[in-house]
Amino acid sequence: MEKSCTLLIHFDKGTPAIANEIKEALEGNDVSAKVDAMKKAIMLLLNGETLPQLFITIVRYVLPSEDHTVQKLLLLYLEIIEKTDAKGRVLPEMILICQNLRNNLQHPNEYIRGVTLRFLCRLNETEIIEPLIPSVLQNLEHRHPFIRRNAILAVMSIYKLPQGDQLLVDAPDMIEKVLSTEQDPSAKRNAFLMLFTCAQERATNYLLTHVDRVSEWGELLQMVVLELIRKVCRTNRGEKAKYIKIIIALLNSPSTAVIYECAGTLVSLSSAPSAIKAAANTYCQLLLSQSDNNVKLIVLDRLNELKSSHRDVMVDLIMDVLRALSSPNLDIQRKTLDIVLELITPRNINEVVLLLKKEVVKTQTGELEKNGEYRQMLIQAIHSCAIKFPEVASTVVHLLMDFLGDSNVASAIDVVVFVREIIETNPKLRVSIITRLLDTFY
């Protein structure tokens, strides 16, 4: 069986670096040569080479280096080397590494402490981790937030190991204390995530105790709160009412990511019309406020799903959805029209057709090269409306006849087909249409 891999880097083995060259570069004093040699060693290891002769060289010449890049590469090297023998026992030479990691966890430089703590999150060997636990715990109270953040993640990773709850018996207690005093948003989020992952009851208790302050928490923490709510409500449907209030409060968050997640959470937890309407309104706001086309397309997909399962709610928001036509992107315009055409009712048909007519007129004045294609989409949409509701035909047929000589041939053909169909199905309009046709063809 192939071993698991935490790191992937593309490497062209066309010109393999010779182990002796790497060794010489590592033994020298040139830092940039050391960096290059470490990169080559890491890439060779990732491609299946073993390079056992390099280990002692790295211990002697790379471990003492104070250069940040070298230290970062050293941690990547330690991450991918084999740390156990065939029977799964930790190799004796790892004792040398252990001492170095302990020194790094007490290093005066914050960056080295932080990246070492992050490295521990990817270690699975309890024999290496156990002696380092006191140093990890000391870092929970470090003055620098970067170190506290990574110390919390290291505690979470250790606690999740097979015997982790014995190595760190009171980890949830410690992290709960950290959560109550922590001011840094990222560290607070990591602490809450640790409780959510390892002691869910404590996380829900903390959330329900501070329910009035959830809207003041940072975006990162609010995202984890929503994840927790989804998990709790999936396993215990009876508790939904407690959490719906929190979601509704978070709908006013200044963060668009939080608002989007709130809307999705509401739809997954409740099918009540009020909840669906709140979610749909949120999606419509995002559709108008976001400038990124990919975001708009994702939001339109969500609205399309709501249209399939909650059509009655979506019918009331048809004009809000139509405002997305202001985007110059054809994919967004096409998706918007597809959604809207399935939400048309006798109540809203006149409003919708009026807006589509205005959009057709706009395509005459604009200089955009894609106007012809957009106009064709609008003509097809109006055609579809006129088939479903023949009474609107008289309001649009004369406007569309302006495009019988359109430079976009497909668009002109659509108009011809539409006019032919109206003459066939609507006797009252025949005289005026044929008169207009005779005027059009010189």
Side-chain angles (χ1 to χ4, degrees):
M1 192 179 89
E2 295 216 356
K3 59 178 182 175
S4 62
C5 175
T6 56
L7 184 68
L8 280 175
I9 303 171
H10 169 71
F11 178 53
D12 181 7
K13 284 184 78 176
T15 53
I18 296 153
N20 289 340
E21 279 178 26
I22 296 175
K23 200 167 174 231
E24 276 172 35
L26 293 175
E27 288 172 359
N29 293 324
D30 184 351
V31 173
S32 60
K34 249 181 200 174
V35 167
D36 285 341
M38 283 299 289
K39 285 180 180 175
K40 284 175 186 167
I42 288 166
M43 288 173 181
L44 285 169
L45 283 167
L46 286 173
N47 280 274
E49 305 288 337
T50 50
L51 307 178
Q53 67 274 44
L54 283 185
F55 183 79
I56 293 301
T57 307
I58 286 174
V59 168
R60 285 178 63 193
Y61 296 99
V62 180
L63 250 65
S65 172
E66 287 290 316
D67 184 79
H68 285 187
T69 309
V70 171
Q71 282 297 323
K72 179 76 180 168
L73 289 166
L74 172 65
L75 291 174
L76 292 177
Y77 169 80
L78 295 178
E79 188 180 318
I80 57 177
I81 57 169
E82 284 290 353
K83 300 171 198 67
T84 53
D85 59 20
K87 292 182 180 174
R89 289 190 297 255
V90 170
L91 297 168
E93 56 263 37
M94 287 300 139
I95 302 300
L96 299 167
I97 300 301
C98 230
Q99 186 55 45
N100 176 64
L101 292 173
R102 189 187 288 114
N103 294 342
N104 277 2
L105 290 172
Q106 293 161 4
H107 201 282
N109 184 286
E110 287 91 357
Y111 174 78
I112 289 180
R113 278 201 199 205
V115 292
T116 308
L117 285 162
R118 198 181 296 168
F119 163 71
L120 293 184
C121 296
R122 295 190 283 276
L123 271 192
N124 298 320
E125 291 75 23
T126 46
E127 292 94 327
I128 299 174
I129 288 172
E130 198 169 357
L132 304 173
I133 287 175
S135 303
V136 172
L137 297 180
Q138 278 174 4
N139 283 312
L140 286 172
E141 293 171 8
H142 194 276
R143 61 184 174 74
H144 204 287
F146 174 66
I147 292 172
R148 297 199 302 275
R149 270 176 233 161
N150 287 302
I152 293 165
L153 290 178
V155 168
M156 178 167 85
S157 301
I158 296 168
Y159 193 76
K160 282 163 74 179
L161 290 174
Q163 286 91 34
D165 51 350
Q166 287 150 28
L167 292 174
L168 277 169
V169 182
D170 45 0
D173 281 329
M174 282 186 283
I175 298 298
E176 200 166 5
K177 281 179 194 159
V178 168
L179 184 57
S180 59
T181 56
E182 185 56 69
Q183 296 302 312
D184 177 67
S186 294
K188 206 174 175 79
R189 173 255 183 206
N190 289 355
F192 189 79
L193 182 67
M194 189 275 172
L195 291 182
F196 164 36
T197 312
C198 307
Q200 193 177 304
E201 217 168 285
R202 287 174 188 262
T204 48
N205 287 342
Y206 180 82
L207 174 59
L208 295 172
T209 312
H210 298 85
V211 77
D212 301 332
R213 302 189 56 200
V214 174
S215 53
E216 298 163 24
W217 290 351
E219 173 189 346
L220 296 170
L221 184 50
Q222 288 176 346
M223 295 289 269
V224 183
V225 164
L226 289 168
E227 206 178 319
L228 172 70
I229 290 172
R230 282 198 292 272
K231 189 175 177 186
V232 170
C233 294
R234 269 200 296 269
T235 51
N236 194 344
R237 305 290 292 180
E239 295 197 352
K240 277 195 300 189
K242 274 189 223 171
Y243 297 103
I244 294 281
K245 289 176 191 168
I246 299 174
I247 300 168
I248 299 288
L250 287 179
L251 278 173
N252 299 317
S253 166
S255 159
T256 47
V258 171
I259 295 170
Y260 175 79
E261 284 297 326
C262 278
T265 307
L266 263 183
V267 172
S268 66
L269 295 187
S270 173
S271 53
S274 57
I276 300 301
K277 191 162 189 179
N281 273 322
T282 302
Y283 286 140
C284 288
Q285 284 168 23
L286 289 172
L287 200 54
L288 297 173
S289 64
Q290 294 306 297
S291 55
D292 188 319
N293 287 341
N294 292 321
V295 174
K296 285 181 189 276
L297 288 167
I298 291 166
V299 171
L300 283 167
D301 282 339
R302 298 292 84 79
L303 286 168
N304 197 25
E305 286 164 15
L306 284 183
K307 178 205 73 187
S308 308
S309 48
H310 303 279
R311 186 176 182 276
D312 295 347
V313 174
M314 286 299 296
V315 163
D316 296 336
L317 296 170
I318 190 167
M319 297 312 288
D320 291 328
V321 177
L322 268 171
R323 284 159 73 187
L325 289 177
S326 59
S327 166
N329 181 284
L330 283 174
D331 291 327
I332 291 170
Q333 291 166 337
R334 187 176 290 109
K335 226 169 216 186
T336 304
L337 289 172
D338 288 346
I339 293 171
V340 164
L341 289 177
E342 290 185 40
L343 296 174
I344 291 171
T345 64
R347 256 192 9 253
N348 60 31
I349 180 67
N350 290 327
E351 265 186 299
V352 171
V353 168
L354 187 65
L355 194 141
L356 294 177
K357 278 165 67 179
K358 282 181 184 168
E359 286 295 311
V360 170
V361 173
K362 271 190 212 168
T363 62
Q364 283 175 293
T365 54
E367 294 296 313
L368 289 174
E369 57 196 69
K370 292 182 180 172
N371 269 350
E373 210 174 323
Y374 178 41
R375 188 185 304 136
Q376 189 187 352
M377 277 163 28
L378 290 168
I379 290 168
Q380 286 168 351
I382 292 170
H383 187 168
S384 174
C385 293
I387 292 167
K388 283 186 192 170
F389 301 93
E391 67 273 15
V392 301
S394 60
T395 64
V396 291
V397 69
H398 290 292
L399 169 75
L400 293 189
M401 285 175 77
D402 289 342
F403 300 104
L404 277 169
D406 195 354
S407 56
N408 181 335
V409 178
S411 181
I413 290 172
D414 282 335
V415 175
V416 172
V417 172
F418 175 58
V419 169
R420 188 177 67 189
E421 197 165 335
I422 298 303
I423 290 176
E424 179 65 36
T425 58
N426 211 321
K428 290 178 188 170
L429 295 174
R430 278 177 196 165
V431 174
S432 62
I433 290 176
I434 289 173
T435 310
R436 182 75 188 275
L437 271 175
L438 291 169
D439 292 342
T440 303
F441 293 113
Y442 47 83

